[in-house]
Amino acid sequence: MSGFSTEERAAPFSLEYRVFLKNEKGQYISPFHDIPIYADKDVFHMVVEVPRWSNAKMEIATKDPLNPIKQDVKKGKLRYVANLFPYKGYIWNYGAIPQTWEDPGHNDKHTGCCGDNDPIDVCEIGSKVCARGEIIGVKVLGILAMIDEGETDWKVIAINVDDPDAANYNDINDVKRLKPGYLEATVDWFRRYKVPDGKPENEFAFNAEFKDKDFAIDIIKSTHDHWKALVTKKTNGKGISCYHHPVNLLAQYQQMWISGSITRKTNEISPEYKLILLHRIHLDVLDVKVVAFQSFKFVELI
């Protein structure tokens, strides 16, 4: 989407390779923390980590400052997914919804397992092959509850709002109707993709059945709540880096305050309000001035 750009560092498919995100001012930002969860009403932002048909397992580096995209490493070796017959690499544009987090300390009532310590994953099913680090707006259609080595690993099914056929997709049943076999292939891919590495097949809750749009959005909202607890230090992030550029997130909460979706009572400070105040610790590092809200007044923190 307009306003975001990428900057690659080092050679692709190397241990040093990174993709950093920038905002419209050219400032480095975190794709995990700084990009708002919502792109528009009923539209979520998606950070593309892996373009369709590619094999390199790229992901947001949650433990690195600014959380750039990098290739996953296992036992010192770069990770690639195998070509599982009849598939070539990833069969969707694969990525994550920013400002979400699957809490490893939270036991999910639907799966009976804790979260995988990452932002929630998205499989984008549109016709375009997206670029690594691209930020797109997606319409959520449904969700699959995968259990990966004992951890909850939700897989959101979505379509790019700019896709020519996006208007025809409004729920998971539309995928079944318009792309017959695609959801079955998705389950098959996720079930077997680790088998070539000598690992067992993955399992699924709900008998590997996809849940609908409303269910999916509820799950996404719950992971957003877990993310808010993470960045306000209400829960243990277990090494996750919450260092980011504070201005973008602050602006988002300014708008929420103005719209009335954040309120503060006399003896109560909301998590969002505390998040605004937490930005003060970054001022000396980034040499910026930020406006925060206190006692219903604008106060400049210097």
Side-chain angles (χ1 to χ4, degrees):
M1 300 190 68
S2 61
F4 300 106
S5 61
T6 60
E7 181 179 300
E8 292 184 298
R9 300 281 184 88
F13 318 119
S14 69
L15 292 171
E16 298 77 23
Y17 178 71
R18 299 289 188 275
V19 180
F20 287 90
L21 272 290
K22 292 182 177 182
N23 62 16
E24 67 281 356
K25 296 180 180 179
Q27 298 164 322
Y28 292 104
I29 60 171
S30 163
F32 188 3
H33 304 300
D34 288 325
I35 297 171
I37 182 174
Y38 289 103
D40 203 345
K41 188 178 187 301
D42 300 324
V43 178
F44 291 88
H45 275 125
M46 172 185 174
V47 181
V48 178
E49 298 166 311
V50 186
R52 184 189 288 113
W53 313 134
S54 62
N55 297 75
K57 191 177 187 302
M58 300 284 179
E59 61 183 16
I60 292 172
T62 58
K63 296 184 178 182
D64 291 1
L66 289 175
N67 314 115
I69 295 171
K70 69 177 183 180
Q71 190 165 354
D72 192 22
V73 176
K74 196 81 167 182
K75 296 181 179 179
K77 294 184 177 180
L78 296 168
R79 291 187 65 190
Y80 297 86
V81 299
N83 291 322
L84 291 172
F85 183 83
Y87 316 117
K88 168 63 176 74
Y90 286 75
I91 60 175
W92 347 255
N93 293 302
Y94 191 69
I97 295 178
Q99 297 187 347
T100 63
W101 180 55
E102 296 196 56
D103 184 356
H106 172 74
N107 190 288
D108 189 284
K109 66 181 180 181
H110 303 292
T111 65
C113 299
C114 294
D116 70 348
N117 206 28
D118 285 322
I120 197 167
D121 296 322
V122 188
C123 303
E124 192 281 316
I125 65 170
S127 56
K128 175 186 174 183
V129 176
C130 294
R132 187 180 305 126
E134 186 173 351
I135 310 300
I136 61 175
V138 296
K139 182 192 298 187
V140 168
L141 304 172
I143 199 166
L144 177 68
M146 189 175 88
I147 301 172
D148 185 352
E149 299 184 38
E151 296 178 333
T152 300
D153 194 1
W154 292 101
K155 307 298 181 184
V156 175
I157 305 300
I159 189 166
N160 190 335
V161 292
D162 292 329
D163 190 271
D165 293 328
N168 298 322
Y169 291 86
N170 296 292
D171 211 325
I172 199 67
N173 287 328
D174 294 323
V175 184
K176 297 175 183 178
R177 177 173 57 88
L178 297 171
K179 289 182 179 284
Y182 201 7
L183 295 180
E184 291 82 356
T186 294
V187 172
D188 184 45
W189 193 96
F190 278 122
R191 190 189 303 278
R192 298 192 294 122
Y193 84 100
K194 289 188 174 181
V195 172
D197 296 327
K199 294 186 176 181
E201 293 184 348
N202 284 319
E203 299 177 340
F204 304 89
F206 305 114
N207 196 31
E209 294 179 359
F210 288 83
K211 306 300 284 185
D212 64 15
K213 172 183 178 177
D214 290 340
F215 186 98
I217 290 175
D218 284 343
I219 295 295
I220 294 168
K221 288 180 177 178
S222 72
T223 62
H224 182 54
D225 289 339
H226 292 313
W227 170 81
K228 287 191 286 188
L230 170 70
V231 295
T232 54
K233 311 299 182 184
K234 286 190 170 183
T235 190
N236 184 1
K238 297 185 178 181
I240 284 183
S241 173
C242 293
Y243 177 82
H244 56 96
H245 193 289
V247 176
N248 272 16
L249 194 59
L250 183 62
Q252 179 188 359
Y253 284 122
Q254 286 177 349
Q255 292 302 315
M256 292 173 68
W257 183 283
I258 292 168
S259 69
S261 57
I262 295 178
T263 60
R264 176 175 178 249
K265 298 178 181 178
T266 304
N267 297 316
E268 178 183 338
I269 296 179
S270 69
E272 292 84 0
Y273 180 85
K274 290 180 180 178
L275 184 59
I276 291 171
L277 298 185
L278 279 174
H279 287 304
R280 185 170 188 173
I281 66 175
H282 297 302
L283 296 186
D284 293 337
V285 177
L286 295 173
D287 191 26
V288 295
K289 293 182 179 180
V290 198
V291 175
F293 300 97
Q294 192 169 15
S295 301
F296 298 104
K297 295 185 296 183
F298 292 106
V299 178
E300 189 174 37
L301 299 178
I302 302 176

